[in-house]
Amino acid sequence: MRPSDGTDDGPYPGPGVSVPGHAAGACSGAGERVADAPVPRPGPVPEPVPRSLPSPGLGLGFGGETVPRPEEGRRISLARAFVRILPVLLITAGALYDYGTPSDFTAAPFFTAAPLVAAPLYSRRGTVLTGLATVAVVLALHVALGIVGDTDAVTELATVATVAVLAVLINALVRRHSEQLASAREIAEAAQRAVLPEPAERIGAFRIAACYEAARADAFIGGDLYAVQDSPYGVRLIVGDVRGKGMGAVAAVAVVIGAFREAAEQEADLEALAQRLERALAREGARRDGLDAFEGFTTAVLAELPHGDGVARVLNRGHPPPVLLHADGTLRMLLPAEHALPLGMGELGPWPGRADEAAFPAGATLLLYTDGLSESRDRHGRFYDVEARLAGRVVDTPAALLAEVAEDVRRHSGGGMADDMALLAVRREGHRV
């Protein structure tokens, strides 16, 4: 504010500044697991980390570093640059406004906003320096305008100084929350890796890749599952989706995968393996209370890939059908000859499910997935058509296929996933016939 030139209608009524409530600012398509990837902890300058599609194809990762597309990276860089200089812009705008307007106007909102904006974005030192700079600019303006001793000027300076102190306190709370969040993320990632360990990259003649993406960018653990187990009967696979969310779903995932790994070594066929999973889920349901005790179920696809034969046996329990992508790009959806109920619901119907057999030649890739892929929608509400979108693709590795699928579903959905997504791809190596 500048001194009155004698034409003002009355004295400056006072700053009347109110301190607004503070709101802190905050694979992934399919991600790839990176073994023992460290979980980023808050650095000296806590700031939001944009979540975007990781670049799959080399490993398997849950919440590792993401690689935005070039145009998205440019937008993120511009947004970050603007946010970083916003406190400086507010101080500058306040100084110009205060100096160029009559005394009835005040720039106090600009000056109080600057440290509040800095609080969730800057380090503690940066927030302190922003507060000191704001107070210094206000004091310098008062000196330059010759109003240091005026009541309104003293009130404005006291208000700005008070908000600057509050901003430092807010910064400390934000930093503490960031540290707690980083710890929770680390625990969640460890739990995710314990429940869904990274499958071997190669078992016999089969090359394997898998990835998992939670619909929520800040969540690691979900209800989708996959597992790979070598056995005397061949390589056995499962991809499934547990009903529900949260820790209850994670507990069910652990039960299914534990039972699968044990039964895959012992049972001679997929039908018997599925029955073992049924019994495991029944035991799990018996110890639960409420709705889950009666409505808990898991959709799943079980597959068996014998080492010596070029075949794939598939048993589908209410799950989206796998895709068999041949070396020349031709595609076949492995639809079940006989539909069956999901695991955990077998007692409701007389159809326990029968395994179907399909040729699995060298160079072909078997893709198993959850409904996070097939039910992904575009902005018009259209579902992702797995058969149409994957037909004609020629890939050399299962990881490359997952990378292409993840990028494609990201484009289709505009980067927003409505449900968790798990992908498991197995390629049979050898001489093509």
Side-chain angles (χ1 to χ4, degrees), residues 163-232:
V163 173
V165 173
L166 291 175
V168 175
L169 297 177
I170 291 171
N171 176 265
L173 293 175
V174 170
R175 287 174 59 85
R176 181 177 179 182
H177 175 72
S178 298
E179 291 169 358
Q180 292 173 341
L181 179 60
S183 178
R185 286 167 60 89
E186 187 175 47
I187 294 170
E189 183 171 0
Q192 182 77 78
R193 287 179 173 172
V195 174
L196 295 179
E198 179 181 355
E201 183 179 350
R202 188 175 190 119
I203 301 177
F206 303 106
R207 296 185 65 180
I208 303 166
C211 63
Y212 184 103
E213 182 193 2
R216 286 181 53 195
D218 58 348
F220 288 106
I221 302 178
D224 289 14
L225 63 95
Y226 60 77
V228 179
Q229 183 70 36
D230 196 10
S231 77

XYZ file of all heavy atoms in Angstrom, residues 163-232:
523
model
N 1.822 -15.746 9.877
C 1.571 -16.766 8.849
C 2.870 -17.458 8.452
O 2.888 -18.665 8.192
C 0.882 -16.136 7.629
C 0.774 -17.142 6.489
C -0.498 -15.625 8.005
N 3.976 -16.708 8.420
C 5.267 -17.317 8.084
C 5.654 -18.367 9.120
O 6.164 -19.448 8.776
C 6.342 -16.242 7.986
N 5.402 -18.079 10.404
C 5.690 -19.065 11.449
C 4.774 -20.277 11.310
O 5.217 -21.432 11.429
C 5.526 -18.420 12.840
C 5.645 -19.479 13.938
C 6.573 -17.327 13.051
N 3.502 -20.029 11.026
C 2.577 -21.143 10.821
C 2.992 -22.006 9.631
O 2.841 -23.231 9.654
C 1.156 -20.610 10.611
C 0.475 -19.977 11.828
C -0.874 -19.390 11.434
C 0.309 -21.004 12.938
N 3.518 -21.372 8.604
C 3.964 -22.123 7.426
C 5.095 -23.077 7.767
O 5.158 -24.199 7.255
C 4.396 -21.155 6.323
N 5.994 -22.642 8.646
C 7.091 -23.530 9.071
C 6.536 -24.726 9.832
O 6.990 -25.869 9.646
C 8.109 -22.749 9.925
C 9.178 -23.689 10.477
C 8.755 -21.642 9.104
N 5.538 -24.496 10.681
C 4.913 -25.597 11.407
C 4.201 -26.552 10.447
O 4.270 -27.780 10.593
C 3.926 -25.054 12.442
C 4.527 -24.197 13.559
C 3.429 -23.665 14.484
C 5.549 -25.006 14.363
N 3.508 -25.992 9.461
C 2.839 -26.829 8.463
C 3.866 -27.654 7.696
O 3.652 -28.842 7.418
C 2.019 -25.951 7.495
C 0.826 -25.343 8.231
C 1.545 -26.766 6.289
C 0.072 -24.306 7.432
N 4.977 -27.050 7.353
C 6.034 -27.775 6.646
C 6.532 -28.960 7.458
O 6.759 -30.056 6.926
C 7.187 -26.819 6.330
C 8.357 -27.517 5.691
O 9.309 -27.916 6.366
N 8.308 -27.676 4.372
N 6.683 -28.755 8.771
C 7.140 -29.851 9.632
C 6.121 -30.984 9.649
O 6.486 -32.170 9.597
C 7.385 -29.330 11.045
N 4.818 -30.642 9.691
C 3.790 -31.679 9.667
C 3.776 -32.422 8.340
O 3.609 -33.652 8.291
C 2.418 -31.045 9.935
C 2.201 -30.475 11.336
C 0.846 -29.773 11.421
C 2.288 -31.583 12.382
N 3.944 -31.692 7.241
C 3.953 -32.317 5.923
C 5.142 -33.265 5.785
O 5.025 -34.382 5.267
C 3.977 -31.247 4.815
C 4.234 -31.880 3.451
C 2.668 -30.475 4.802
N 6.295 -32.820 6.261
C 7.486 -33.665 6.187
C 7.299 -34.931 7.028
O 7.693 -36.031 6.604
C 8.700 -32.887 6.661
C 9.173 -31.826 5.689
C 10.296 -30.983 6.291
N 11.438 -31.838 6.647
C 12.386 -32.200 5.792
N 12.309 -31.832 4.523
N 13.395 -32.952 6.183
N 6.699 -34.789 8.188
C 6.477 -35.957 9.030
C 5.518 -36.929 8.355
O 5.730 -38.155 8.362
C 5.910 -35.510 10.379
C 5.668 -36.668 11.340
C 5.166 -36.154 12.680
N 4.914 -37.253 13.598
C 4.434 -37.109 14.824
N 4.174 -35.879 15.273
N 4.216 -38.157 15.588
N 4.451 -36.392 7.754
C 3.513 -37.247 7.037
C 4.197 -37.939 5.861
O 3.937 -39.119 5.586
C 2.326 -36.420 6.546
C 1.363 -37.196 5.699
N 0.512 -38.148 6.216
C 1.141 -37.172 4.360
C -0.207 -38.675 5.241
N 0.160 -38.104 4.108
N 5.066 -37.230 5.160
C 5.775 -37.821 4.021
C 6.669 -38.973 4.465
O 6.762 -40.000 3.792
C 6.616 -36.747 3.313
O 5.803 -35.729 2.789
N 7.314 -38.801 5.602
C 8.162 -39.878 6.114
C 7.329 -41.090 6.507
O 7.717 -42.233 6.246
C 8.969 -39.358 7.309
C 10.025 -38.330 6.929
C 10.619 -37.646 8.146
O 10.170 -37.958 9.264
O 11.519 -36.807 7.963
N 6.170 -40.848 7.138
C 5.295 -41.960 7.496
C 4.769 -42.658 6.251
O 4.674 -43.892 6.212
C 4.131 -41.447 8.352
C 4.548 -40.956 9.731
C 3.402 -40.308 10.478
O 2.405 -39.901 9.882
N 3.544 -40.212 11.794
N 4.425 -41.877 5.217
C 3.932 -42.459 3.976
C 5.011 -43.294 3.296
O 4.747 -44.388 2.789
C 3.455 -41.349 3.034
C 2.928 -41.804 1.670
C 1.730 -42.734 1.845
C 2.545 -40.596 0.817
N 6.245 -42.789 3.312
C 7.342 -43.548 2.707
C 7.550 -44.869 3.436
O 7.796 -45.908 2.811
C 8.620 -42.718 2.743
N 7.440 -44.837 4.763
C 7.576 -46.075 5.526
C 6.452 -47.042 5.195
O 6.675 -48.249 5.025
C 7.574 -45.754 7.027
O 7.649 -46.935 7.800
N 5.233 -46.520 5.077
C 4.102 -47.382 4.735
C 4.268 -47.970 3.340
O 3.948 -49.141 3.098
C 2.794 -46.585 4.818
N 4.775 -47.157 2.418
C 5.010 -47.651 1.057
C 6.061 -48.753 1.059
O 5.956 -49.733 0.323
C 5.449 -46.491 0.155
C 4.337 -45.537 -0.221
C 4.889 -44.273 -0.838
N 5.635 -44.558 -2.043
C 5.094 -44.616 -3.261
N 3.790 -44.450 -3.387
N 5.822 -44.854 -4.316
N 7.082 -48.584 1.866
C 8.127 -49.600 1.937
C 7.568 -50.909 2.486
O 7.874 -51.996 1.974
C 9.270 -49.102 2.817
C 10.482 -50.022 2.825
C 11.636 -49.422 3.608
O 11.391 -48.943 4.732
O 12.763 -49.430 3.101
N 6.743 -50.817 3.523
C 6.132 -52.009 4.100
C 5.193 -52.665 3.090
O 5.168 -53.891 2.939
C 5.385 -51.649 5.394
C 6.381 -51.200 6.471
C 4.559 -52.823 5.893
C 5.721 -50.605 7.690
N 4.414 -51.831 2.386
C 3.479 -52.372 1.403
C 4.209 -53.078 0.271
O 3.784 -54.133 -0.194
C 2.603 -51.243 0.844
N 5.317 -52.490 -0.176
C 6.072 -53.127 -1.252
C 6.675 -54.444 -0.785
O 6.689 -55.431 -1.526
C 7.174 -52.194 -1.752
C 7.934 -52.789 -2.934
C 8.880 -51.794 -3.570
O 8.955 -50.650 -3.096
O 9.550 -52.179 -4.533
N 7.177 -54.483 0.450
C 7.723 -55.737 0.976
C 6.627 -56.796 1.064
O 6.851 -57.962 0.718
C 8.350 -55.491 2.342
N 5.436 -56.392 1.515
C 4.330 -57.342 1.591
C 3.924 -57.816 0.207
O 3.639 -58.998 -0.009
C 3.135 -56.684 2.301
N 3.900 -56.897 -0.761
C 3.543 -57.265 -2.126
C 4.517 -58.274 -2.697
O 4.137 -59.262 -3.321
C 3.519 -56.013 -3.013
C 3.103 -56.276 -4.445
C 1.621 -56.459 -4.578
O 0.880 -55.494 -4.577
N 1.167 -57.690 -4.689
N 5.802 -58.048 -2.452
C 6.799 -58.969 -2.976
C 6.754 -60.314 -2.266
O 7.073 -61.340 -2.851
C 8.185 -58.351 -2.844
C 8.414 -57.227 -3.840
C 9.783 -56.616 -3.666
N 10.062 -55.649 -4.726
C 11.109 -54.853 -4.751
N 11.980 -54.907 -3.765
N 11.295 -54.018 -5.735
N 6.372 -60.305 -0.988
C 6.244 -61.570 -0.269
C 5.056 -62.366 -0.785
O 5.127 -63.584 -0.934
C 6.106 -61.302 1.226
N 3.940 -61.667 -1.060
C 2.747 -62.348 -1.540
C 2.888 -62.743 -3.007
O 2.506 -63.848 -3.405
C 1.506 -61.449 -1.337
C 0.274 -62.078 -1.966
C 1.270 -61.207 0.140
N 3.411 -61.834 -3.823
C 3.585 -62.088 -5.251
C 5.064 -62.001 -5.613
O 5.520 -61.004 -6.185
C 2.799 -61.061 -6.074
C 1.284 -61.085 -5.950
C 0.672 -60.003 -6.813
C 0.726 -62.452 -6.324
N 5.844 -63.024 -5.295
C 7.270 -62.961 -5.624
C 7.492 -62.994 -7.129
O 6.669 -63.499 -7.894
C 7.834 -64.222 -4.952
C 6.679 -65.147 -4.863
C 5.475 -64.278 -4.644
N 8.606 -62.442 -7.523
C 8.938 -62.384 -8.944
C 9.152 -63.789 -9.492
O 9.928 -64.576 -8.945
C 10.207 -61.563 -9.129
C 10.662 -61.463 -10.566
C 11.933 -60.650 -10.681
O 12.371 -60.114 -9.653
O 12.488 -60.574 -11.784
N 8.461 -64.175 -10.563
C 8.672 -65.505 -11.133
C 10.034 -65.594 -11.812
O 10.623 -64.584 -12.201
C 7.535 -65.640 -12.155
C 7.214 -64.234 -12.545
C 7.457 -63.400 -11.315
N 10.516 -66.822 -11.949
C 11.782 -67.026 -12.653
C 11.655 -66.544 -14.090
O 10.610 -66.710 -14.728
C 12.156 -68.502 -12.619
N 12.712 -65.942 -14.592
C 12.662 -65.429 -15.958
C 12.608 -66.564 -16.971
O 12.047 -66.405 -18.058
C 13.887 -64.546 -16.221
C 13.885 -63.897 -17.594
C 15.097 -63.018 -17.806
O 15.836 -62.762 -16.842
O 15.302 -62.589 -18.959
N 13.161 -67.691 -16.605
C 13.154 -68.818 -17.532
C 13.034 -70.122 -16.748
O 13.716 -70.328 -15.741
C 14.417 -68.824 -18.379
C 14.386 -69.856 -19.510
C 15.617 -69.737 -20.404
N 15.462 -70.560 -21.590
C 15.453 -70.123 -22.827
N 15.615 -68.836 -23.070
N 15.305 -70.938 -23.849
N 12.158 -71.011 -17.232
C 12.037 -72.367 -16.701
C 12.032 -73.313 -17.896
O 11.072 -73.327 -18.680
C 10.759 -72.558 -15.865
C 10.731 -71.597 -14.680
C 10.657 -73.990 -15.375
C 9.452 -71.686 -13.851
N 13.070 -74.084 -18.049
C 13.165 -74.994 -19.183
C 13.094 -74.235 -20.499
O 13.859 -73.300 -20.742
N 12.152 -74.616 -21.337
C 11.999 -73.988 -22.650
C 11.076 -72.781 -22.613
O 10.744 -72.235 -23.671
C 11.464 -75.016 -23.655
N 10.674 -72.348 -21.425
C 9.708 -71.264 -21.315
C 10.362 -69.999 -20.758
O 11.086 -70.055 -19.768
C 8.551 -71.676 -20.407
C 7.848 -72.917 -20.853
C 8.043 -74.113 -20.177
C 7.012 -72.905 -21.952
C 7.406 -75.270 -20.578
C 6.368 -74.050 -22.367
C 6.566 -75.247 -21.689
N 10.080 -68.884 -21.415
C 10.474 -67.570 -20.910
C 9.241 -66.910 -20.321
O 8.152 -66.960 -20.905
C 11.074 -66.708 -22.014
C 12.368 -67.266 -22.575
C 12.992 -66.333 -23.587
N 13.406 -65.082 -22.963
C 13.987 -64.080 -23.638
N 14.207 -64.208 -24.941
N 14.351 -62.973 -23.024
N 9.421 -66.253 -19.173
C 8.285 -65.798 -18.382
C 8.468 -64.331 -18.004
O 9.580 -63.894 -17.682
C 8.140 -66.651 -17.110
C 8.004 -68.132 -17.478
C 6.951 -66.194 -16.268
C 8.194 -69.064 -16.302
N 7.375 -63.594 -18.019
C 7.376 -62.216 -17.526
C 6.022 -61.942 -16.884
O 5.004 -62.508 -17.289
C 7.641 -61.221 -18.644
N 6.004 -61.099 -15.881
C 4.764 -60.760 -15.190
C 4.817 -59.324 -14.716
O 5.900 -58.771 -14.507
C 4.534 -61.699 -14.000
N 3.658 -58.729 -14.554
C 3.597 -57.379 -13.988
C 2.257 -57.170 -13.321
O 1.286 -57.871 -13.596
C 3.865 -56.314 -15.045
S 2.644 -56.268 -16.354
N 2.230 -56.217 -12.438
C 1.041 -55.916 -11.636
C 0.921 -54.411 -11.489
O 1.912 -53.729 -11.248
C 1.172 -56.564 -10.252
C -0.047 -56.405 -9.373
C -0.929 -57.452 -9.192
C -0.302 -55.205 -8.717
C -2.039 -57.316 -8.377
C -1.407 -55.059 -7.915
C -2.278 -56.127 -7.751
O -3.385 -55.983 -6.959
N -0.290 -53.916 -11.635
C -0.520 -52.497 -11.380
C -1.791 -52.331 -10.575
O -2.850 -52.836 -10.969
C -0.645 -51.696 -12.663
C -0.836 -50.215 -12.385
C -1.279 -49.416 -13.586
O -1.475 -50.023 -14.645
O -1.445 -48.201 -13.435
N -1.688 -51.642 -9.456
C -2.871 -51.309 -8.672
C -3.577 -50.127 -9.313
O -2.944 -49.237 -9.886
C -2.485 -50.985 -7.232
N -4.903 -50.124 -9.237
C -5.669 -49.026 -9.828
C -5.329 -47.712 -9.170
O -5.247 -46.677 -9.825
C -7.167 -49.319 -9.710
N -5.114 -47.729 -7.838
C -4.694 -46.523 -7.132
C -3.195 -46.392 -7.247
O -2.436 -47.321 -6.967
C -5.095 -46.605 -5.659
C -6.564 -46.412 -5.396
C -6.830 -46.478 -3.912
N -5.974 -45.557 -3.175
C -5.795 -45.626 -1.860
N -6.382 -46.588 -1.168
N -5.015 -44.762 -1.255
N -2.758 -45.219 -7.653
C -1.325 -45.004 -7.862
C -0.526 -45.164 -6.587
O 0.639 -45.531 -6.620
C -1.093 -43.602 -8.435
N -1.140 -44.888 -5.424
C -0.394 -44.957 -4.177
C -0.596 -46.277 -3.441
O -0.234 -46.404 -2.278
C -0.800 -43.802 -3.248
C -2.289 -43.807 -2.940
O -3.029 -44.551 -3.620
O -2.698 -43.068 -2.037
N -1.197 -47.267 -4.140
C -1.430 -48.556 -3.508
C -0.574 -49.625 -4.163
O -0.421 -49.646 -5.373
C -2.911 -48.935 -3.604
N 0.009 -50.501 -3.350
C 0.797 -51.599 -3.876
C 0.017 -52.907 -3.839
O 0.184 -53.757 -4.678
C 2.077 -51.770 -3.050
C 3.070 -50.679 -3.276
C 3.265 -49.705 -2.315
C 3.802 -50.620 -4.435
C 4.184 -48.693 -2.509
C 4.720 -49.611 -4.632
C 4.908 -48.653 -3.670
N -0.778 -53.094 -2.796
C -1.396 -54.386 -2.562
C -2.828 -54.370 -3.052
O -3.589 -53.466 -2.753
C -1.362 -54.739 -1.065
C 0.078 -54.738 -0.567
C -2.012 -56.085 -0.804
C 0.214 -55.033 0.897
N -3.202 -55.391 -3.799
C -4.558 -55.494 -4.300
C -5.015 -56.936 -4.290
O -4.398 -57.807 -3.692
N -6.121 -57.212 -4.976
C -6.705 -58.540 -4.975
C -6.350 -59.378 -6.175
O -6.788 -60.532 -6.273
N -5.596 -58.863 -7.134
C -5.179 -59.657 -8.277
C -3.962 -60.498 -7.902
O -3.163 -60.101 -7.041
C -4.842 -58.762 -9.467
C -6.093 -58.133 -10.066
O -7.146 -58.177 -9.417
O -6.006 -57.596 -11.181
N -3.800 -61.628 -8.554
C -2.707 -62.521 -8.194
C -2.191 -63.265 -9.409
O -2.892 -63.404 -10.419
C -3.173 -63.515 -7.124
C -4.295 -64.479 -7.537
C -3.746 -65.825 -8.023
C -5.256 -64.708 -6.371
N -0.950 -63.711 -9.307
C -0.369 -64.615 -10.291
C 0.715 -65.425 -9.597
O 1.270 -65.017 -8.574
C 0.206 -63.864 -11.498
C 1.290 -62.883 -11.163
C 2.593 -63.293 -10.884
C 1.023 -61.513 -11.125
C 3.580 -62.385 -10.564
C 2.008 -60.599 -10.813
C 3.282 -61.048 -10.540
O 4.266 -60.148 -10.225
N 1.001 -66.581 -10.139
C 2.070 -67.421 -9.613
C 2.495 -68.402 -10.693
O 1.700 -68.775 -11.564
C 1.624 -68.177 -8.358
N 3.747 -68.789 -10.634
C 4.326 -69.749 -11.567
C 5.044 -70.805 -10.736
O 5.802 -70.474 -9.829
C 5.319 -69.074 -12.530
C 5.923 -70.099 -13.488
C 4.638 -67.944 -13.299
N 4.801 -72.080 -11.049
C 5.407 -73.158 -10.286
C 5.811 -74.291 -11.226
O 4.982 -74.817 -11.959
C 4.418 -73.683 -9.242
C 4.970 -74.760 -8.330
C 6.001 -74.219 -7.359
O 5.872 -73.089 -6.874
N 7.037 -75.005 -7.077
N 7.099 -74.652 -11.198
C 7.536 -75.835 -11.934
C 7.114 -77.076 -11.147
O 7.071 -77.055 -9.911
C 9.049 -75.804 -12.120
C 9.521 -76.762 -13.192
O 8.651 -77.312 -13.921
O 10.741 -76.970 -13.314
N 6.796 -78.131 -11.858
C 6.309 -79.342 -11.204
C 6.671 -80.554 -12.046
O 7.115 -80.415 -13.200
C 4.781 -79.257 -11.031
O 4.132 -79.513 -12.267
N 6.486 -81.757 -11.518
C 6.750 -82.947 -12.322
C 5.854 -83.062 -13.546
O 6.156 -83.837 -14.463
C 6.469 -84.099 -11.335
C 6.615 -83.503 -9.986
C 6.170 -82.087 -10.127
